[in-house]
């Protein structure tokens, strides 16, 4: 089969600009690359850049995946009646009617995760053919013999990420059938270039998980620990390293509820004992250092590590699709305060974010509202009918500030626009490890990890383990990771019933 790929598609997503349309016309009219003609490390890196750019879009991992993970769960409620009453793409997700729709947030996510997956498959097939040969190359960064492992690990990481997220989104959970033979992802393990290539069966959930774990074991072995400008082309700087592969592997075992394996991988990722390879940022800097990061920072894929293990890097002026005007901002971010007249009936708001944090979230998180810095800095709780409106009243609205803060008409990076999207950070894996240790009876270790997250948030360390330590850890997970796309997957992992949230508890029950 003759396979032809347009380099313009790959490059334009990565370096779109104000003159993007003109650039697209120029490149697509002049440059086509055939898979069998790829000959350099640089061209392989272009294909990988395309893979990352595809999955980073706001309709993929840079937006939809994070929105869907919360709207399927019970921690958000519809805020805007226009959103509620109009059958838009994302409101179908919230009301579950997307299952009868052929176009929506889930469809967009599947489309663009498959785009990234296909680029990764292209790279792996080219590497397997050994068609890239660089004899006499003096630059180690361009020597295929020195770069082949790094590129293969990169492609396997992206493929594993796409297959895993498709599987846990659209498949029934691990353990739904005794042999996990129920249908899994729509992704494939061969590159697709013609409609005829689309005729393939869905993998089972077992086959998908097995393949993901196999890819990640290889990726962990092949990927470097961090970007090294003397050994790697600049394209590698914002990409995954071996620790990103380990983080994703921990999530896979977490989703399988595999206690022993999840614990072992978390230890490899974070380091044993009190040391944390990815130290938590100060509690009063979580907004700026975690959720409003912009561009390639010193800690991005470097030996100088912070809490961020892997993020989708958005470089202002270089990305064709950013968080500006996209799901994370329009769903969560309050851009202008409500008037008293608007707040007189919060169930008839016709402007503002599509979603707000639900009554269920308020009671489940049970924040220490005096001390907890997550409540004080990562939530906007100022919008209420009166100043005296109780914190848990349906008339006091809570909005997540993780993906943008109260701004103006001229939004910039400080409001979370064009911000990086953090996918893996160490606080999540500390709490994963705490749960796994507690379930194995390692109470002291579980308490140490829980306290690390608590004290960073401004709370006092627990001096002794409460009787309900496991539930306390799971509650802390809700407090720490809200609006980061984890909620429905955790409910599926634990096979818990879906709480109806605040829909019947809100005034008139309109939600």
């Amino acid at each position: 089969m003759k396979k032809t790929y347009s380099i313009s598609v790959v490059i334009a997503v990565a370096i779109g600009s104000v003159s993007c349309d003109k650039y697209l016309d120029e490149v697509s009219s002049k440059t086509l690359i055939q898979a069998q003609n790829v000959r350099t490390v640089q061209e392989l890196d272009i294909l990988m850049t395309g893979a990352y750019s595809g999955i980073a879009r706001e309709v993929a991992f840079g937006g939809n995946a994070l929105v869907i993970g919360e709207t399927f769960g019970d921690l958000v409620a519809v805020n805007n009646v226009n959103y509620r009453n109009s059958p838009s793409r994302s409101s179908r997700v919230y009301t579950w009617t997307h299952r009868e729709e052929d176009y929506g947030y889930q469809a967009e996510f599947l489309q663009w995760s498959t785009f990234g997956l296909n680029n990764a498959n292209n790279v792996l097939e080219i590497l397997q053919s050994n068609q890239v040969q660089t004899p006499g190359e003096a630059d180690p960064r361009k020597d295929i013999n020195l770069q082949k492992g790094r590129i293969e690990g990169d492609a396997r990481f992206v493929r594993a990420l796409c297959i895993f997220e498709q599987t846990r989104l659209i498949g029934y959970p691990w353990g739904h059938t005794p042999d996990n033979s129920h249908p899994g992802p729509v992704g494939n393990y061969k590159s697709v270039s013609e409609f005829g290539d689309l005729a393939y069966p869905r993998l089972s959930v077992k086959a998908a998980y097995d393949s993901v774990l196999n890819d990640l074991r290889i990726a962990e072995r092949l990927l470097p620990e961090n970007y090294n400008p003397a050994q790697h082309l600049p394209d590698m700087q914002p990409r995954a390293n071996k620790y990103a592969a380990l983080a994703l592997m921990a999530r896979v075992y977490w989703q399988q509820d595999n206690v022993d394996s999840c614990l072992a991988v978390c230890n490899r990722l974070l380091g044993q004992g009190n040391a944390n390879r990815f130290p938590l940022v100060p509690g009063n800097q979580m907004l700026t250092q975690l959720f409003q990061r912009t561009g390639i920072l010193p800690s991005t894929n470097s030996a100088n590590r912070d809490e961020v293990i892997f993020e989708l890097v958005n470089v202002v002026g270089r990305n064709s699709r950013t968080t500006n005007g996209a799901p994370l901002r329009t769903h969560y971010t309050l851009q202008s305060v409500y008037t008293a007249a608007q707040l007189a009936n919060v169930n008839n708001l016709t402007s503002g974010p599509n979603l707000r944090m639900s009554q269920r979230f308020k009671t489940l998180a049970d924040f220490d509202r005096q001390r907890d810095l997550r409540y004080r800095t990562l939530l906007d709780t100022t919008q209420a009918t009166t100043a005296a409106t109780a914190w848990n009243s349906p008339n006091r609205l809570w909005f997540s500030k993780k993906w943008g803060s109260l701004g103006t008409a001229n939004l910039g990076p400080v409001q979370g626009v064009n911000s990086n999207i953090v996918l893996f950070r160490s606080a999540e894996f500390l709490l994963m490890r705490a749960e796994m240790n507690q379930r194995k009876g390692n109470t002291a270790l579980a308490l140490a990890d829980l306290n690390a997250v608590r004290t960073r948030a401004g709370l006092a360390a627990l001096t002794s383990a409460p009787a309900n330590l496991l539930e306390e850890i799971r509650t802390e997970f809700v407090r720490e990771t809200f609006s980061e796309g984890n909620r429905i997957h955790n409910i599926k992992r634990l096979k818990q019933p879906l709480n109806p949230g605040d829909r019947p508890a809100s005034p008139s029950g309109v939600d």
Side-chain angles (χ1 to χ4, degrees), residues 12 25 37 51 65 71 74 110 123 130 163 180 203 212 249 281 285 298 301 340-341 355 384-385 431 437 450 461 498:
D25 292 340
N37 290 337
T71 53
D74 55 358
L110 294 174
V123 169
N130 290 316
I163 291 291
N180 290 295
L203 292 174
V212 165
M249 191 186 301
V281 306
Q285 298 175 31
N301 198 1
L355 302 169
T385 308
L431 292 172
N437 267 320
L450 174 61
L498 185 67

Side-chain angles (χ1 to χ4, degrees), residues 215-276:
D215 272 344
L216 291 175
R217 292 185 190 108
I218 297 173
E220 179 197 358
R221 176 171 54 85
L222 295 177
L223 284 170
E225 292 196 14
N226 51 267
Y227 166 70
N228 183 337
Q231 298 176 7
H232 310 129
L233 290 170
D235 305 60
M236 195 259 172
Q237 187 172 355
R239 295 189 193 160
N241 56 30
K242 70 176 295 180
Y243 298 113
L246 278 171
L248 180 54
M249 191 186 301
R251 271 197 183 176
V252 174
Y253 285 129
W254 169 261
Q255 201 63 43
Q256 290 180 312
D257 208 32
N258 184 330
V259 174
D260 289 328
S261 295
C262 183
L263 177 58
V265 174
C266 283
N267 282 332
R268 294 215 306 274
L269 171 67
L270 299 170
Q272 298 278 5
N274 294 327
N276 180 359

Side-chain angles (χ1 to χ4, degrees), residues 84-160:
R84 179 190 297 120
N85 297 331
S86 174
S88 65
R89 293 173 294 161
S90 48
S91 60
R92 291 173 192 152
V93 169
Y94 186 78
T95 60
W96 293 80
T97 59
H98 73 286
R99 294 185 179 274
E100 287 75 48
E101 299 288 347
D102 61 358
Y103 185 66
Y105 268 32
Q106 183 170 256
E108 288 175 327
F109 173 76
L110 294 174
Q111 173 190 0
W112 285 100
S113 60
T114 302
F115 175 93
L117 169 64
N118 199 54
N119 267 33
N121 283 335
N122 290 338
V123 169
L124 291 169
E125 290 169 4
I126 292 169
L127 289 173
Q128 188 175 22
S129 72
N130 290 316
Q131 69 186 48
V132 176
Q133 300 292 329
T134 57
E137 177 59 65
D139 187 343
R141 303 174 306 164
K142 301 177 183 179
D143 185 342
I144 189 60
N145 295 317
L146 297 177
Q147 299 301 323
K148 184 175 182 179
R150 186 263 305 174
I151 296 172
E152 179 184 346
D154 215 2
R156 287 183 181 273
F157 169 81
V158 170
R159 183 165 74 177

Side-chain angles (χ1 to χ4, degrees), residues 175-188:
H176 177 70
T177 56
D179 58 357
N180 290 295
S181 60
H182 47 291
V186 298
N188 193 18

